[in-house]
Amino acid sequence: MILNGFNEKDFLENYWQKKPLVIRQGFDEPNWISPDELAGLACEEEVESRIVMQETGAWNVEHGPFPEDRFSTLPKTNWSLLVQGVDQWSPEVADILKSFDFLPAWRLDDIMVSYAPVGGTVSQHYDFFDVFLIQGEGSRTWKIGDVCGSHSECLPDTPLRILKDFESRMEVTLQPGDILYIPAKYAHYGVSVEDSLTYSVGFRAPSICDVVDGVGVECLLEDDRFQDSAQSLQAQRGEIPKSAISHVKDMLLKVMDDEQLISSWLGQYVTDKKYPEFDLPTSAADNCLERLKAGESLMKHPSSRFAYIKQAELAGNESEAFLFADGEKYPAKLALASYISNQYELDSNELVLLLTDVQNQELVTELVVAGNLIFEDDFFADELGEAN
Ligand code: SIN
Ligand code: CO
């Protein structure tokens, strides 16, 4: 699915992670979820949601899940409801992602949907995400300011990161179907002109802190420790000599040079579960192949994330890969790993062919046990509260 009037090559060369862009009428019928359905999601325990409001000058954030009657007690204007990860709960919203196929799936964070009556805003801020703001129903006026960073001052004593200073460099009013792309760190805010829905498709990029922290905590052992050299022992007792500094640098360089280790971390990081506290429903895993042969459909759980790394790129092994699923790493045949990671929907016949290989069969069973893959019938039965 291609966005109307959109030139991918021009976008990737000139705008992606560089500067904002307005894409008029990128979508024809942006009615993927109604305000009532969104409010319904915000009442669910597993769903992350917030209501942002300015009351008597002070900014207030209430976190969901909300009791149903919360919505009837809200004022007519000047508030926003924000619901994270709506792509996990609404197949219609998840389908929006197919229009962003020109970007790697593993860079995606989620689709947040916000509803705001007239005047609703979360005020001036910046995100560390690249975001496509798609206007659903209604309209919203966006102002975009300068590039910010850790140095940018925020208002004190607010539960939101609201920028103290904001100078508008660009203003645009989005109508249903319009898209505004804002690169990470650009100051921005939108104000609802009329009751409106905005879909934010967010792409995250790990910071150097995430990398160093993550590699350190998740991949390194405590055993590898600093060792004194004869040279560093000769220094004055209070002096940290250059040779000690070089040794610490060598310890870091050894880690930085270890592509296996860094690839393991990256695969796990980008597929990590967004809400690890919630268990996935599972199918029985003892007869996967028979169920597929009988024509049953296996699906990727909507909240599961998959990515793979070709082993050829690491160890010269053409047909092997590592598959990452919800933060777990599995050695896998490249054919299976790429099929699962690249496809939106899995075809039973294709899977039956892949499962003639015993290693593939074992891996699919493991993924079914973990809940990353689930038979459609079991998934929908669970949604209706019939299973588990
Ligand atoms: C909103 O949808 O109101 C806020 C989205 C954003 O600024 O990132
Ligand atoms: Co934002």
Side-chain angles (χ1 to χ4, degrees):
M1 271 198 292
I2 300 169
L3 296 173
N4 297 332
F6 180 71
N7 182 331
E8 287 174 18
K9 189 168 173 292
D10 178 48
F11 175 77
L12 293 174
E13 272 174 27
N14 299 311
Y15 296 93
W16 177 240
Q17 300 194 306
K18 293 188 185 81
K19 56 185 181 192
L21 175 70
V22 180
I23 305 157
R24 291 287 181 195
Q25 294 304 291
F27 286 97
D28 287 327
E29 286 175 42
N31 303 315
W32 301 290
I33 195 166
S34 69
D36 279 348
E37 287 168 317
L38 192 70
L41 278 180
C43 300
E44 301 286 339
E45 198 201 330
E46 293 100 327
V47 179
E48 183 187 346
S49 60
R50 287 165 291 164
I51 292 174
V52 176
M53 219 179 338
Q54 201 178 14
E55 283 171 312
T56 56
W59 286 94
N60 215 342
V61 181
E62 262 176 78
H63 293 271
F66 300 100
E68 263 172 55
D69 57 7
R70 178 65 187 107
F71 294 99
S72 54
T73 56
L74 283 165
K76 287 244 170 311
T77 58
N78 294 318
W79 54 269
S80 301
L81 165 70
L82 303 121
V83 183
Q84 287 310 139
V86 179
D87 49 313
Q88 292 185 24
W89 306 102
S90 157
E92 290 78 14
V93 172
D95 268 356
I96 298 174
L97 297 173
K98 295 181 182 165
S99 298
F100 293 91
D101 253 358
F102 55 91
L103 293 166
W106 59 267
R107 293 271 283 97
L108 178 83
D109 185 61
D110 72 347
I111 300 185
M112 179 187 84
V113 185
S114 71
Y115 171 79
V118 179
T121 180
V122 296
S123 194
Q124 55 211 37
H125 67 280
Y126 70 95
D127 304 303
F128 285 115
F129 287 62
D130 291 279
V131 68
F132 293 88
L133 300 161
I134 306 166
Q135 189 60 47
E137 61 189 64
S139 65
R140 223 174 260 199
T141 297
W142 292 88
K143 288 189 176 157
I144 302 171
D146 295 313
V147 175
C148 301
S150 313
H151 60 277
S152 309
E153 241 187 286
C154 290
L155 292 185
D157 307 324
T158 65
L160 295 164
R161 264 186 322 136
I162 298 176
L163 288 166
K164 186 161 160 279
D165 303 311
F166 180 90
E167 195 159 342
S168 177
R169 307 281 179 199
M170 174 178 166
E171 178 173 330
V172 59
T173 298
L174 298 185
Q175 303 297 340
D178 290 344
I179 305 169
L180 171 61
Y181 164 67
I182 307 181
K185 298 200 283 186
Y186 269 84
H188 61 276
Y189 71 103
V191 182
S192 241
V193 180
E194 52 195 34
D195 301 358
S196 70
L197 279 174
T198 297
Y199 299 79
S200 307
V201 184
F203 290 82
R204 63 183 175 156
S207 69
I208 183 71
C209 303
D210 295 332
V211 177
V212 172
D213 233 47
V215 171
V217 172
E218 277 157 48
C219 305
L220 300 182
L221 298 175
E222 284 284 350
D223 312 23
D224 202 357
R225 306 198 78 91
F226 180 86
Q227 275 195 308
D228 288 311
S229 63
Q231 217 180 0
S232 64
L233 289 171
Q234 277 159 20
Q236 297 285 320
R237 31 189 311 266
E239 183 194 354
I240 302 170
K242 192 164 180 320
S243 57
I245 298 168
S246 301
H247 183 64
V248 172
K249 186 174 136 200
D250 288 344
M251 288 169 85
L252 283 172
L253 288 176
K254 194 170 130 207
V255 173
M256 283 163 60
D257 212 30
D258 189 338
E259 272 194 37
Q260 289 273 4
L261 185 130
I262 289 174
S263 65
S264 285
W265 172 77
L266 187 58
Q268 286 164 358
Y269 173 83
V270 299
T271 61
D272 244 349
K273 276 169 124 179
K274 199 167 164 78
Y275 302 105
E277 63 277 25
F278 298 116
D279 289 335
L280 298 176
T282 56
S283 293
D286 48 359
N287 57 352
C288 289
L289 188 54
E290 286 70 37
R291 287 179 77 172
L292 287 167
K293 280 184 179 163
E296 282 198 59
S297 298
L298 201 53
M299 61 185 269
K300 305 204 265 190
H301 191 279
S303 72
S304 285
R305 295 160 190 254
F306 299 87
Y308 66 100
I309 294 178
K310 292 178 184 167
Q311 279 214 28
E313 261 140 54
L314 301 170
N317 200 339
E318 297 293 331
S319 63
E320 302 290 322
F322 289 111
L323 173 69
F324 297 89
D326 291 339
E328 296 295 326
K329 176 184 172 188
Y330 303 91
K333 288 274 180 320
L334 176 59
L336 181 72
S338 58
Y339 184 69
I340 293 179
S341 306
N342 290 331
Q343 299 302 313
Y344 288 102
E345 279 108 33
L346 305 178
D347 177 79
S348 299
N349 295 328
E350 200 69 45
L351 280 174
V352 168
L353 283 179
L354 284 164
L355 265 58
T356 49
D357 178 290
V358 177
Q359 188 196 347
N360 286 351
Q361 221 180 99
E362 284 170 1
L363 179 52
V364 165
T365 306
E366 264 190 87
L367 297 172
V368 169
V369 169
N372 317 118
L373 299 181
I374 183 164
F375 281 96
E376 259 180 36
D377 288 350
D378 299 332
F379 176 75
F380 291 111
D382 181 77
E383 284 228 305
L384 298 169
E386 290 169 14
N388 293 325

